[in-house]
Amino acid sequence: MTNRSLTRSVVVAVLTLVGVSPALAQTPSFPPTSFLTSAKATWESTRTLVLGIVEIMPEDKYDFKPTPSVRTFRDNVIHLVAENYLFFGRVAGESPGNPAQNLKGRDELLKALRESYDYGSKVWAGLTEEKALEMIEVRGQKVQRWSAILGAIQDNMNHYGNLVVYVRLNGLVPPRSAGR
């Protein structure tokens, strides 16, 4: 199996796991045959899900946590901002840090979360297949640059799952489930 076909197989497996249909995988910035087309569609879907669930939680519930040993809703949002910058910073070869670490209010946190996704969009805009396949070092291991995008998707979806529980425990319905 070639490196390119292995990469494509990984993308297909990830997309199958997160439920992205081929129709959603079409994006104007990469050709339909690019492995990045499906990855970008998955990232955009993830962005929509996370922003939607963060937007429905009222500010008076941002300090909620289901048990004493887990993060508050607010802390999860701050973490998501940090992780978006961390993972996409790896793709870009930058270290932008976490501008949300000291934020408290719902509106400023939502703004910071949107900006972290905008940063990801900026990184996507400068990405080519050749650059995506370059090897970078992450935690002492050589990986393809675009693997950080898979890390961002996985991390966002893990926390989306956490936030679904937080929202439901507060009597709210996640946007993805509303109207069903």
Side-chain angles (χ1 to χ4, degrees):
M1 182 176 267
T2 67
N3 193 22
R4 189 176 203 110
S5 64
L6 176 62
T7 300
R8 184 138 176 89
S9 296
V10 169
V11 170
V12 170
V14 168
L15 292 174
T16 301
L17 287 174
V18 297
V20 174
S21 72
L24 288 176
Q26 301 306 313
T27 181
S29 58
F30 300 106
T33 56
S34 173
F35 63 94
L36 293 173
T37 300
S38 300
K40 186 169 186 202
T42 302
W43 173 248
E44 293 299 331
S45 174
T46 300
R47 172 187 185 147
T48 299
L49 286 172
V50 172
L51 283 172
I53 202 151
V54 170
E55 287 170 348
I56 68 160
M57 187 68 116
E59 185 160 14
D60 66 335
K61 302 292 184 187
Y62 264 53
D63 289 319
F64 173 79
K65 56 182 173 176
T67 66
S69 63
V70 299
R71 291 181 177 126
T72 64
F73 188 90
R74 176 186 329 279
D75 291 337
N76 272 296
V77 175
I78 292 168
H79 176 77
L80 280 162
V81 172
E83 294 293 281
N84 287 343
Y85 281 110
L86 173 72
F87 286 112
F88 277 92
R90 287 178 178 159
V91 176
E94 302 171 346
S95 297
N98 181 7
Q101 62 191 1
N102 296 317
L103 300 180
K104 298 292 181 203
R106 178 185 181 273
D107 291 342
E108 62 186 3
L109 283 168
L110 268 168
K111 181 177 185 269
L113 183 60
R114 284 186 190 101
E115 288 171 352
S116 75
Y117 287 115
D118 291 345
Y119 175 70
S121 293
K122 178 185 140 209
V123 172
W124 272 111
L127 195 60
T128 63
E129 285 188 10
E130 294 74 28
K131 185 173 181 177
L133 294 172
E134 291 174 355
M135 300 302 283
I136 60 171
E137 190 168 317
V138 175
R139 297 181 184 162
Q141 184 179 0
K142 294 281 186 181
V143 298
Q144 290 178 333
R145 186 177 299 278
W146 80 283
S147 68
I149 293 171
L150 293 179
I153 292 168
Q154 180 183 22
D155 187 71
N156 270 253
M157 290 308 293
N158 285 340
H159 295 296
Y160 173 79
N162 297 139
L163 297 179
V164 166
V165 173
Y166 286 50
V167 164
R168 290 212 180 262
L169 286 174
N170 280 283
L172 301 167
V173 179
R176 187 176 193 181
S177 300
R180 290 186 181 179

